[in-house]
Amino acid sequence: MNFLSLPTRVKKNRSYGLTVIADFGTSVGELNHILSDYHSFIDFAKIGIGSAYVTPNLKRKIELYKEYHIQPYCGGTLFEKAYYQGKINDYLEFLKDLGIEWIEISNGTLDIPLEKRLELVSQMKNFFYVIGEVGSKEQLKVFTNTQWLEEIQALLNAGCEYIITEGRDSGTAGIYDSDGKVKEHLIHDFLKYTDVRKIIFEAPTPKQQMFFINHIGANVNLGNVKLQDILTLEAQRCGLRSETFFLEETKCILS
């Protein structure tokens, strides 16, 4: 159908306007049915938290995502577990054996110094495409806007392809208050001082997704999206929901 005037969505294979789903245990059979209809809306699939380590039929799941031109990667918690136990080399072999080409380097649970993360990025970018994460899962750990911006730029300079801003799968940490409200002052600084095409905003709830769509545009990068919300999110991006209805007429950064 093409009779409506809608915001222009960049097509796959996209370098921005990304939708990153969080897979927290979808069975291979169910996943196949979902992707057969909705694969064009999905760019990356994060095997959530450290669940990849215990996922049955993981190899087949990774293959299935790649068949639909969706890039799979493991959640940052698995990286942090391997780092904590001194098993990074084993973790890298694990990813290579699965045919995974992307790796997330995070510090959402551990407090890994920025210098060490930069060192890891510099090493791993020779073998993987690297996604860095900034922010903590711990609400009591306070980051100033300046700290967010400095870490983002340092990780991009070190070789990260994208930066994820921590929000948790609950949407209650990092770029959000404990009640799920977006820290708007922080996002405004991101818009002024970073290339938002390189930022993936974790936004697990429709309300949070609509905030970013309305403030940044139809082609904002969104992560931690639930599989069952894929079609709804694409409709939101296209101005087909009340809260994003006037997106076509609104000046956005990424349209």
Side-chain angles (χ1 to χ4, degrees), residues 129-172:
Y129 299 104
V130 183
I131 301 173
E133 185 178 61
V134 175
S136 173
K137 291 178 170 63
E138 176 54 61
Q139 264 292 348
L140 296 178
K141 185 172 182 179
V142 178
F143 275 62
T144 67
N145 290 17
T146 299
Q147 285 175 304
W148 279 91
L149 294 169
E150 287 178 348
E151 287 209 6
I152 287 171
Q153 197 55 56
L155 287 164
L156 287 173
N157 290 344
C160 286
E161 301 291 333
Y162 296 100
I163 303 297
I164 296 171
T165 57
E166 177 68 70
R168 300 209 71 174
D169 57 282
S170 59
T172 57

Side-chain angles (χ1 to χ4, degrees), residues 194-213:
T194 69
D195 179 359
V196 290
R197 289 175 174 83
K198 293 289 188 179
I199 308 297
I200 299 171
F201 298 97
E202 289 194 335
T205 72
K207 185 176 180 180
Q208 292 163 348
Q209 294 159 11
M210 287 184 286
F211 170 88
F212 287 107
I213 292 168

Side-chain angles (χ1 to χ4, degrees), residues 53-81:
Y53 198 74
V54 293
T55 297
N57 301 315
L58 178 60
K59 181 81 169 178
R60 176 58 190 137
K61 177 175 278 192
I62 297 303
E63 292 170 349
L64 185 59
Y65 277 125
K66 294 178 81 170
E67 286 169 16
Y68 282 104
H69 303 287
I70 297 166
Q71 291 294 339
Y73 69 97
C74 295
T77 302
L78 190 56
F79 158 77
E80 291 185 53
K81 192 76 169 181

